[in-house]
Amino acid sequence: MIYALLSGRPLVIAGQARAELEIRAAVNTLAMFVPGNNIGKSVVPWYTKRLKLGDLGYFRLVGVCVSSSDIDTVIPATVKQYVSIFDLGQKTLRTLPYEGNALLSLMDRRRSFRTDGALLAFIQSILLELSLKSLLFYHTFCNNPDPHRTARRRTARSLPDEKAVTAFLQKIGVASSDASVVQYLAEVVKLQQLDEHFSTLNLREESSPLPVMKMSLRKDSGERCSVS
């Protein structure tokens, strides 16, 4: 479930109405693994409507009320292929397999923590390491359309983008499923930067006074408009 969230795949926790409190608690706990600063819209603790493909543009983690044992009535087949589903009643998880290394320590049952604070600090240390690697990826590739060529002073021939990406990720110790996580986190950073950029532009436009249009007529060149 954690891998699904960190790689940008929506996670649905489905259960009947009597399990609402348990589902809400699970969603609130997993919300810390949802990347981005728009948690209020992407995390929905309890949803009682039928999921649609359009919902996946906003939802990243959602608790869904299932009225019967058949969840197809709430999660249609067109949605299932794009989401991971944890059926609380059946205790089954349908998701992509994780084949990385960064998150393995979270699943190590031999680890024990004396306090919740110690566990939280341990989780945050793993997320921090992934975030730092995603920032390296972002500044190398997302800000530069051809980083390999730039690094080589624009040599006559450079590796294709896909090979350059793979080589870079291997260099910073990222492979398999962890590559999907790092690349998705970098994409989130890029979208946040774009949002901040356009928000700043909108504020500037709202704070700037509107120009006053004045019409002046001149005999030598006909009608002209001037702005002051």
Side-chain angles (χ1 to χ4, degrees):
M1 290 188 284
I2 294 175
Y3 168 59
L5 293 173
L6 290 177
S7 60
R9 186 177 178 87
L11 174 63
V12 177
I13 300 180
Q16 297 187 17
R18 62 174 178 268
E20 177 180 353
L21 293 179
E22 188 176 355
I23 291 175
R24 285 180 176 272
V27 170
N28 290 332
T29 299
L30 290 169
M32 66 180 298
F33 297 103
V34 178
N37 57 2
N38 196 18
I39 302 299
K41 293 183 178 180
S42 58
V43 176
V44 181
W46 189 243
Y47 194 70
T48 57
K49 300 179 182 179
R50 179 183 173 91
L51 286 177
K52 304 183 296 294
L53 280 177
D55 296 329
L56 304 185
Y58 304 95
F59 296 164
R60 285 294 172 268
L61 173 60
V62 55
V64 173
C65 178
V66 179
S67 57
S68 63
S69 58
D70 184 12
I71 65 174
D72 292 336
T73 57
V74 179
I75 311 175
T78 54
V79 174
K80 281 185 177 181
Q81 58 184 327
Y82 298 108
V83 301
S84 295
I85 303 173
F86 177 64
D87 189 332
L88 187 63
Q90 300 294 327
K91 303 297 182 182
T92 58
L93 175 63
R94 176 183 175 182
T95 188
L96 298 176
Y98 176 68
E99 299 175 348
N101 296 313
L103 303 178
L104 289 180
S105 55
L106 292 176
M107 297 177 281
D108 189 352
R109 297 180 180 272
R110 294 172 298 178
R111 290 182 179 272
S112 60
F113 300 89
R114 294 183 178 180
T115 64
D116 291 342
L119 173 60
L120 182 60
F122 174 70
I123 295 174
Q124 289 177 339
S125 68
I126 295 175
L127 298 180
L128 177 60
E129 182 178 358
L130 287 170
S131 299
L132 292 175
K133 291 180 178 180
S134 69
L135 285 175
L136 285 174
F137 184 89
Y138 168 78
H139 286 290
T140 303
F141 288 92
C142 299
N143 278 342
N144 185 358
D146 195 350
H148 185 81
R149 179 170 296 183
T150 300
R152 296 298 185 91
R153 299 292 184 180
R154 297 187 179 276
T155 54
R157 184 173 183 175
S158 61
L159 291 174
D161 288 346
E162 184 176 352
K163 291 184 178 180
V165 167
T166 302
F168 178 82
L169 290 174
Q170 290 178 348
K171 186 176 181 180
I172 61 175
V174 175
S176 302
S177 298
D178 295 334
S180 300
V181 174
V182 168
Q183 289 178 277
Y184 176 70
L185 294 178
E187 185 68 19
V188 171
V189 173
K190 183 176 71 174
L191 293 176
Q192 289 177 345
Q193 294 294 322
L194 289 174
D195 287 341
E196 292 177 4
H197 174 71
F198 287 111
S199 296
T200 302
L201 289 180
N202 291 334
L203 289 175
R204 289 178 180 176
E205 291 178 357
E206 293 176 359
S207 61
S208 300
L210 293 176
V212 179
M213 303 295 296
K214 293 182 179 180
M215 187 76 71
S216 62
L217 299 177
R218 295 184 182 181
K219 293 182 179 180
D220 56 343
S221 58
E223 187 176 275
R224 297 181 180 178
C225 295
S226 62
V227 179
S228 60

